[in-house]
């Protein structure tokens, strides 16, 4: 059985979690910025529906036209990981150096907010580098929450005041906070702690935290296990947390009680990035098999709120996903995963399942859709 063989697989891994390899020979090369493309749109316009991707293999975020590819790029800081775009057009990007603030209309970085967390080590690249990972924006736009990885130790959750652009609070979380999410009412923040098999819940009013174990396969193997939580989605209908595992199990966590239930999934592949649309449709990225003899390849699972699944095969490893405003198109980044990466995005027609590859950025990881064309140049 696949799960019985995982201990042996994990024992062969010298580093924790999901180690990456070099890109394959047919990987598209680094994308050019619009500064070298005078035929591109002027820098003061960013069309609604433009994608913003974090170039984990560079120090930039790229602006991507879903039909044409990269139109521009902006330097934000070393090894950008997650990002989020607010209704005002400002993007907040978790980098190894700090949280970058990008005006998406002007296409420029307007601030870099240093972390308060200590012992982050040298500013560097790679999956285990210190600095920001998951990031989320409060529903009222007043605060940004970023999960900060502390190498070889527990991480922190830093709270940034979006008006003053300063860190105003920190809280201890588990190891390597891959993802950060916020409740619908903004009263709780959820850090998905990859290497400690749990989710940390922060009460934004009191500052208190509590941790909920999420380990449907157990915690055997510790840091060497593949069977750890990666990304979380907050279900719109009831605020419960949705965490997919291995294309086999969807763990549904009630953050109020800490109790979990498990629903069956069908992709049978190692899973990472997730997002959920307002109608409750869940999108889950499958990165590829742990055991090629028993597991399926990369895929995108589209799961309706009543549990029906469509599994769309993808070509090569992928990491994270965003969805168009109308819910008809998904954008899946080919960036950092345990099996390597490629410099692009797969564009998925949700209804037909048709896919096409689009060169985009350098090792694109986090992705968001710019829903408004307006920017915000003020404080």
């Amino acid at each position: 059985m696949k799960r019985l063989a995982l201990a042996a697989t994990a024992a062969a891994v010298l580093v924790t979690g999901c180690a990456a390899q070099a890109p394959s020979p047919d990987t598209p090369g680094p994308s050019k910025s619009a500064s070298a493309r005078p035929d591109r749109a002027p820098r003061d316009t960013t069309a609604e529906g433009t994608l913003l991707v974090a170039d984990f293999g560079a120090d930039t975020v790229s602006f991507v036209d879903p039909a044409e590819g990269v139109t521009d790029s902006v330097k934000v800081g070393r090894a950008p990981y997650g990002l989020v775009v607010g209704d005002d057009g400002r993007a907040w990007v978790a980098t190894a150096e700090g949280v970058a603030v990008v005006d998406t209309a002007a296409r420029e970085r307007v601030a870099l907010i240093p972390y308060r967390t200590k012992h982050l080590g040298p500013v560097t690249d790679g999956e285990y580098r210190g600095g920001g990972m998951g990031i989320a924006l409060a529903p009222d736009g007043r605060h940004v929450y970023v999960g900060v990885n502390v190498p070889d130790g527990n991480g922190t959750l830093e709270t940034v005041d979006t008006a003053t652009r300063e860190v105003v609070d920190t809280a201890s979380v588990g190891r390597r906070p891959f993802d950060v999410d916020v409740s619908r009412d903004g009263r709780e923040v959820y850090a998905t702690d990859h290497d400690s098999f749990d989710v940390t819940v922060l009460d934004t009013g009191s500052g208190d935290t509590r941790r909920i174990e999420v380990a449907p396969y157990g915690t055997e193997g510790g840091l060497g296990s593949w069977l750890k939580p990666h990304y979380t989605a907050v279900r719109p209908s009831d605020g419960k947390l949705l965490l997919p595992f291995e294309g086999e199990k969807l763990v549904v966590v009630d953050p109020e009680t800490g109790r979990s239930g498990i629903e069956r999934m069908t992709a049978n592949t190692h899973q990472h990035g997730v997002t959920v649309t307002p109608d409750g449709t869940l999108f889950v990225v499958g990165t590829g098999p742990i055991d090629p003899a028993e597991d399926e390849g990369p895929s995108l699972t589209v799961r309706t709120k009543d549990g029906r699944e469509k599994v769309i095969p993808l070509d090569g490893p992928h990491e994270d996903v965003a969805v168009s405003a109308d819910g008809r198109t998904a954008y899946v980044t080919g960036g950092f995963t345990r099996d390597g990466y490629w410099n692009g995005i797969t564009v998925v027609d949700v209804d037909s399942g048709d896919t096409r590859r689009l060169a985009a950025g350098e090792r694109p990881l986090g992705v968001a859709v710019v829903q408004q064309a307006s920017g915000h140049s003020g404080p």
Side-chain angles (χ1 to χ4, degrees):
M1 186 175 178
K2 171 170 75 172
R3 301 303 156 224
L4 297 179
L6 286 176
T9 301
V13 181
L14 298 181
V15 292
T16 65
C18 306
Q21 300 171 359
S24 59
D26 59 351
T27 298
S31 302
K32 300 291 185 180
S33 73
S35 60
R37 295 292 303 274
D39 58 313
R40 295 296 193 186
R43 288 181 60 87
D44 61 351
T45 61
T46 296
E48 184 169 348
T50 296
L51 308 179
L52 192 66
V53 300
D55 295 327
F56 193 66
D59 59 357
T60 58
V61 293
S62 290
F63 291 78
V64 182
D65 182 321
E68 298 183 25
V70 175
T71 61
D72 208 347
S73 63
V74 175
K75 288 187 176 181
V76 290
R78 191 79 171 267
Y81 197 100
L83 56 80
V84 63
V85 180
D87 290 340
D88 60 3
R90 285 185 295 181
W92 305 81
V93 188
T95 81
E97 300 177 55
V99 176
V101 187
V102 176
D103 184 323
T104 62
R107 301 187 190 180
E108 63 180 2
R109 189 186 81 180
V110 294
L112 181 65
I113 304 165
Y115 300 117
R116 186 184 290 181
T117 302
K118 306 298 183 183
H119 309 299
L120 298 184
V123 174
T124 186
D125 305 307
E127 181 179 4
Y128 307 100
R129 61 118 173 98
M133 298 186 75
I135 191 167
L137 182 64
D140 62 8
R142 294 181 179 180
H143 296 96
V144 163
Y145 305 95
V146 57
V148 180
N149 179 46
V150 178
D152 301 318
N154 285 339
T156 64
L157 184 67
E158 298 204 0
T159 301
V160 176
D161 185 306
T162 59
T164 64
R165 297 177 184 167
E166 295 179 344
V167 175
V168 294
D169 200 6
T170 63
S172 179
V173 298
R175 296 177 70 110
R176 282 213 297 160
F178 257 53
D179 194 20
V180 175
D181 298 272
V182 184
S183 64
R184 296 168 298 168
D185 59 12
R187 294 181 179 179
E188 292 185 334
V189 180
Y190 313 110
T192 306
D193 307 322
H194 178 269
D195 284 358
S196 49
F197 296 88
D198 57 29
V199 171
T200 299
V201 181
L202 168 70
D203 183 312
T204 59
S206 68
D208 295 338
T209 61
R210 52 195 169 85
R211 285 163 67 173
I212 302 171
E213 183 176 282
V214 186
Y217 296 99
T219 61
E220 184 178 358
L223 295 181
S225 173
W226 296 107
L227 305 178
K228 295 178 284 193
H230 291 84
Y231 296 81
T232 299
V234 180
R235 189 157 65 186
S237 61
D238 58 9
K240 291 185 177 180
L241 312 182
L242 307 177
L243 295 94
F245 285 79
E246 303 308 308
E248 295 179 338
K249 300 179 180 183
L250 180 67
V251 180
V252 182
V253 179
D254 184 335
E256 182 176 350
T257 65
R259 296 175 181 171
S260 299
I262 295 177
E263 300 177 7
R264 178 176 176 267
M265 298 190 74
T266 61
N268 190 31
T269 189
H270 191 59
Q271 290 177 315
H272 275 208
V274 300
T275 193
V276 65
T277 55
D279 68 356
T281 302
L282 182 69
F283 293 77
V284 185
V285 179
T287 70
I290 294 176
D291 182 353
E294 295 191 13
D295 303 340
E296 300 297 331
S299 64
L300 177 68
T301 292
V302 182
R303 182 184 176 95
T304 61
K305 62 182 180 181
D306 59 3
R308 292 177 297 166
E309 291 189 350
K310 176 193 294 185
V311 179
I312 301 170
L314 299 177
D315 180 16
H318 293 71
E319 178 72 8
D320 207 355
V321 59
V323 181
S324 62
D326 61 11
R328 299 176 63 181
T329 309
Y331 308 102
V332 194
T333 55
F336 187 75
T337 70
R338 66 183 183 90
D339 287 326
Y341 65 91
W342 59 282
N343 293 337
I345 293 171
T346 295
V347 181
V348 181
D349 184 301
V350 174
D351 293 331
S352 69
D354 292 340
T355 65
R356 60 181 173 87
R357 279 192 165 201
L358 182 68
E362 296 184 44
R363 215 167 175 180
L365 186 62
V367 57
V369 181
V370 179
Q371 303 289 10
Q372 294 189 359
S374 61
H376 189 292
S377 299

